[in-house]
Amino acid sequence: MPSPSHPIILTGDRPTGALHLGHYVGSLRNRVELQHTHRQYVLLADSQALTDNADDPGKVRRNVVEVAIDYLAVGIDPAISTICLQSALPALAELTLLYLNFVSVTRLERNPTIKDEIQARAFGRDIPAGFLCYPAAQAADITAFKATVVPVGEDQSPIIEQTNELVRRLNRQIGYTLLPEARALIPATGRLPGVDGRAKMSKSQGNAIPLSASDAEIEGVVQRMYTDPNHLRASDPGQVEGNVVFTYLDAFDPDAEAVAELKAHYRRGGLGDMALKRRLTGILQAIVAPIRERRAALSADPDTIIDILRAGAKRGREVTERTKTEVIDGLGLFRL
Amino acid sequence: MPSPSHPIILTGDRPTGALHLGHYVGSLRNRVELQHTHRQYVLLADSQALTDNADDPGKVRRNVVEVAIDYLAVGIDPAISTICLQSALPALAELTLLYLNFVSVTRLERNPTIKDEIQARAFGRDIPAGFLCYPAAQAADITAFKATVVPVGEDQSPIIEQTNELVRRLNRQIGYTLLPEARALIPATGRLPGVDGRAKMSKSQGNAIPLSASDAEIEGVVQRMYTDPNHLRASDPGQVEGNVVFTYLDAFDPDAEAVAELKAHYRRGGLGDMALKRRLTGILQAIVAPIRERRAALSADPDTIIDILRAGAKRGREVTERTKTEVIDGLGLFRL
């Protein structure tokens, strides 16, 4: 059980789809470790998910419980991690609105993450105001929990920079260091490519392995996995770089030494794709099977999920309301 | 006491300075009437006041109680009107953030009120994001109370239009008319000019008569009031148009017939400025004296003011939380 001296970590996901092995390798399994050495808050960012899903709120609603089940199934323990539903913590909205007064429109527009995502989402000039404002909302999330560690993908680190800018601005006006600065924790394992070799595993692109995948699904997906197109016979030398099967072995095979040997063997020839794929299939099945089984058990008991979300929201409210009060008093605002 | 069948009116002020006779004639005295025929919510918009006062929150803090005292002193009755502190109603912040997903940045930038105020405040490109977003915050305020009548100055009517645009957008997605559209109630009496003849009475311009003004202050201010610079002797014909004393008599003298006669007399000559100013002085003193006395009594009893604000916040929270829940359920969002 983490003690008050442990650093505070804030992590989470936008509940817009069930989580998959990309999330598992990039963040979920780290959270299962980090929860023992950090006070960990896991935010189900349903409000943020609406910033680009306002026309389909049902997608967000349906996935709140699904993602909560994913969390529990991978081993995030609600006794030591706090799973919080963002929309259940009003202080986050209140701090967001307050922080928006301390950041200019041009500063938000200059945020590289916002710039990139505006392009990726093809909003053009019709960007929803909530989307433009979300760096302030993330600053509210991070500071409300007084998190000092925030695991993010490399593309998200400008959000942390902007949070720290706001933190310094607020602390300067408050007159002392009420809010801590946070640092981005970039995961050691880079982003897992899709099973088709595309840069990103994504449910919407159909190249993801969900945490509920059956053994047969995993076997089928690995069978179709991209290897080295020039590696026609097992005896041919093969290329390891860009070979998705090896990328996955690097990410999931617990025996790094064995993987190194396999790479050498593959390079000099004599190692067939089928043997490799069998190995990967077995490894992925071994990871997914217990998660899938826990998912099934949890899905059969929705009341327990709701109870866990309620308990997490209660703990989250205590923390975020306290910070809100401190910010209000620190800035010398009226408090009834 | 207004009944549930009475229309709901939302009105209020940004607590950035004590109120003055300009507020009295333009809105406060109307509220004292309207509270008998409407369910009236009076919003102390402290959160909105921060959108352009983030570097001086103390100004907002100090004026919350001052403006509440002004309300009570002019006769807004907390037994039939609900005085709500904006920052004490978290649902307003939550609805604001939600609504920001339903309005584009360009739509906010096109709002004429925002455009004008950006210019007037010389923000340039460095406009605080909170200021750009405030039409969404006003839409949240108006809809949270389900107000159908919103008294505004003529320059504020685009805010009501934008609110109604959002209302239609949300109702369309919800599938039924959950939120009512609102109409702007433009006061019959136009804006009161400053005592110096400038277009607007404003504390910061030093041309206002505060509701705490003493008899001597009122006399002094009226003595210095701008009349007709060509009306040198009482026997000369004088000009009524642009003559601030007559503008004030039009606004405050309960005897419109007498004022019409005075105008005719002034035009044909034989009516001195001193006589006119004595009349106006007496009228203003008669209006301000009881307000000033009630202000003094109320100021001596800050606990009562806080109690009234707390009771109003409690009533306001009930209403706004209910609307928030209806919007969440109407849009099909997750609710814990």
Side-chain angles (χ1 to χ4, degrees):
Chain A
M1 181 74 198
S3 86
S5 66
H6 282 130
I8 296 173
I9 193 166
L10 178 69
T11 172
D13 300 275
R14 297 156 39 105
T16 53
L19 302 184
H20 51 58
L21 274 183
H23 297 107
Y24 179 79
V25 73
S27 61
L28 294 176
R29 67 177 176 186
N30 297 333
R31 296 180 197 172
V32 176
E33 298 296 318
L34 290 163
Q35 67 185 339
H36 298 289
T37 51
H38 290 72
R39 282 174 288 162
Q40 179 167 263
Y41 296 93
V42 186
L43 196 65
L44 268 166
D46 60 338
S47 303
Q48 195 198 309
L50 284 174
T51 61
D52 59 345
N53 285 289
D55 54 356
D56 188 9
K59 181 167 86 177
V60 178
R61 182 191 63 241
R62 287 188 301 275
N63 282 297
V64 165
V65 169
E66 288 306 307
V67 172
I69 290 175
D70 286 331
Y71 288 162
L72 299 168
V74 298
I76 293 176
D77 178 356
I80 53 175
S81 286
T82 305
I83 299 174
C84 303
L85 184 67
Q86 193 177 34
S87 67
L89 311 180
L92 299 182
E94 296 177 84
L95 284 174
T96 300
L97 269 207
L98 181 59
Y99 290 1
L100 281 172
N101 302 323
F102 290 90
V103 61
S104 71
V105 173
T106 40
R107 178 64 187 89
L108 290 173
E109 286 171 343
R110 272 203 317 271
N111 186 305
T113 311
I114 291 289
K115 264 193 195 165
D116 290 354
E117 299 200 11
I118 287 172
Q119 257 184 338
R121 284 176 169 73
F123 279 139
R125 295 290 294 155
D126 257 354
I127 170 177
F131 191 81
L132 177 71
C133 296
Y134 98 71
Q138 291 207 321
D141 298 340
I142 293 167
T143 57
F145 291 101
K146 297 197 178 171
T148 55
V149 184
V150 182
V152 289
E154 209 148 354
D155 53 337
Q156 291 278 324
S157 63
I159 296 281
I160 309 296
E161 283 167 37
Q162 188 154 15
T163 294
N164 288 339
E165 237 178 79
L166 254 166
V167 162
R168 289 190 291 271
R169 169 76 174 82
L170 289 161
N171 284 339
R172 199 164 54 239
Q173 186 158 329
I174 288 168
Y176 59 92
T177 305
L178 171 64
L179 303 171
E181 292 192 40
R183 69 182 176 84
L185 180 67
I186 315 253
T189 311
R191 177 174 276 173
L192 190 69
V195 294
D196 56 359
R198 281 201 242 186
K200 193 178 173 181
M201 185 179 269
S202 155
K203 194 191 171 196
S204 61
Q205 305 219 339
N207 64 357
I209 302 175
L211 296 179
S212 57
S214 68
D215 281 355
E217 282 174 288
I218 292 171
E219 191 180 0
V221 162
V222 175
Q223 285 308 322
R224 294 189 299 276
M225 212 172 247
Y226 183 90
T227 56
D228 171 2
N230 299 316
H231 185 245
L232 300 176
R233 284 165 308 207
S235 56
D236 289 343
Q239 197 174 326
V240 165
E241 289 69 31
N243 186 318
V244 181
V245 177
F246 275 112
T247 310
Y248 274 57
L249 285 172
D250 279 336
F252 295 104
D253 195 322
D255 189 345
E257 213 172 306
V259 173
E261 275 170 32
L262 288 170
K263 284 180 181 172
H265 192 177
Y266 196 78
R267 283 197 178 103
R268 68 177 181 264
L271 176 57
D273 283 354
M274 287 315 294
L276 274 182
K277 286 184 168 178
R278 264 196 305 276
R279 182 181 177 98
L280 178 59
T281 297
I283 290 167
L284 295 184
Q285 285 172 340
I287 291 172
V288 170
I291 298 175
R292 182 183 61 237
E293 282 155 30
R294 282 194 297 268
R295 277 201 110 270
L298 289 158
S299 297
D301 186 10
D303 286 355
T304 299
I305 310 296
I306 298 295
D307 284 349
I308 288 169
L309 290 178
R310 289 214 173 115
K314 185 167 177 288
R315 289 218 295 269
R317 266 196 296 272
E318 284 164 13
V319 176
T320 57
E321 291 291 333
R322 186 165 58 235
T323 304
K324 182 188 81 176
T325 301
E326 289 171 347
V327 171
I328 287 174
D329 291 350
L331 287 171
L333 298 172
F334 190 86
R335 184 156 64 81
L336 200 54
Chain B
M1 180 74 194
S3 86
S5 67
H6 281 130
I8 297 174
I9 193 165
L10 177 68
T11 173
D13 299 275
R14 298 156 39 106
T16 52
L19 302 185
H20 51 60
L21 274 183
H23 298 106
Y24 180 79
V25 72
S27 61
L28 295 175
R29 68 177 175 184
N30 297 333
R31 296 179 197 172
V32 176
E33 299 295 320
L34 290 164
Q35 67 185 341
H36 298 288
T37 51
H38 291 70
R39 281 174 289 162
Q40 179 167 262
Y41 296 93
V42 186
L43 196 64
L44 268 166
D46 60 338
S47 304
Q48 196 198 308
L50 284 174
T51 61
D52 59 345
N53 285 290
D55 53 355
D56 189 8
K59 182 167 85 175
V60 179
R61 182 190 65 241
R62 287 187 300 274
N63 282 296
V64 166
V65 169
E66 287 306 306
V67 173
I69 290 175
D70 286 330
Y71 288 163
L72 299 167
V74 298
I76 293 177
D77 178 355
I80 53 176
S81 286
T82 305
I83 300 174
C84 304
L85 184 66
Q86 193 178 33
S87 67
L89 311 181
L92 298 182
E94 295 177 85
L95 284 174
T96 300
L97 270 207
L98 182 60
Y99 290 1
L100 282 172
N101 301 324
F102 291 90
V103 61
S104 70
V105 173
T106 40
R107 178 64 187 89
L108 289 173
E109 286 170 344
R110 272 204 317 271
N111 186 304
T113 311
I114 291 288
K115 265 192 193 164
D116 290 354
E117 300 199 10
I118 286 172
Q119 258 185 337
R121 284 174 170 73
F123 279 138
R125 296 288 295 152
D126 258 355
I127 171 179
F131 190 81
L132 178 71
C133 296
Y134 98 71
Q138 291 207 321
D141 298 340
I142 293 168
T143 56
F145 291 100
K146 297 197 177 170
T148 55
V149 184
V150 182
V152 290
E154 209 148 355
D155 54 336
Q156 291 278 322
S157 63
I159 295 281
I160 310 295
E161 283 166 38
Q162 188 154 15
T163 294
N164 288 339
E165 237 178 80
L166 254 167
V167 162
R168 289 189 292 270
R169 169 77 176 81
L170 289 161
N171 284 339
R172 200 162 55 238
Q173 187 159 327
I174 289 168
Y176 58 92
T177 306
L178 171 64
L179 303 172
E181 293 192 40
R183 69 180 177 84
L185 180 67
I186 315 252
T189 311
R191 177 174 276 173
L192 191 70
V195 295
D196 56 358
R198 282 202 241 185
K200 193 177 172 180
M201 184 179 269
S202 156
K203 195 191 171 195
S204 61
Q205 305 220 337
N207 63 357
I209 301 174
L211 296 178
S212 57
S214 68
D215 281 355
E217 282 174 287
I218 291 170
E219 192 180 359
V221 161
V222 175
Q223 284 308 322
R224 291 189 300 277
M225 211 172 250
Y226 182 89
T227 56
D228 171 2
N230 300 316
H231 185 244
L232 301 176
R233 284 165 305 203
S235 55
D236 288 342
Q239 196 172 324
V240 166
E241 290 68 32
N243 185 319
V244 180
V245 177
F246 274 112
T247 309
Y248 273 58
L249 285 172
D250 280 334
F252 294 103
D253 195 323
D255 189 344
E257 212 172 308
V259 173
E261 274 171 32
L262 288 170
K263 284 179 181 174
H265 191 177
Y266 196 77
R267 282 197 178 101
R268 70 176 179 264
L271 176 56
D273 283 354
M274 289 314 295
L276 273 181
K277 286 184 167 178
R278 262 195 306 275
R279 182 181 179 98
L280 178 60
T281 297
I283 290 168
L284 295 184
Q285 285 172 339
I287 291 172
V288 170
I291 299 175
R292 183 182 62 236
E293 282 156 29
R294 282 194 297 269
R295 276 201 111 271
L298 290 158
S299 297
D301 186 10
D303 287 354
T304 298
I305 310 297
I306 298 296
D307 286 348
I308 288 170
L309 289 179
R310 289 212 172 116
K314 185 166 177 289
R315 289 218 297 269
R317 267 195 295 271
E318 284 163 13
V319 177
T320 57
E321 291 290 333
R322 187 164 59 234
T323 304
K324 181 187 81 176
T325 302
E326 289 171 346
V327 171
I328 287 175
D329 291 350
L331 287 171
L333 298 172
F334 191 86
R335 184 156 63 80
L336 200 56

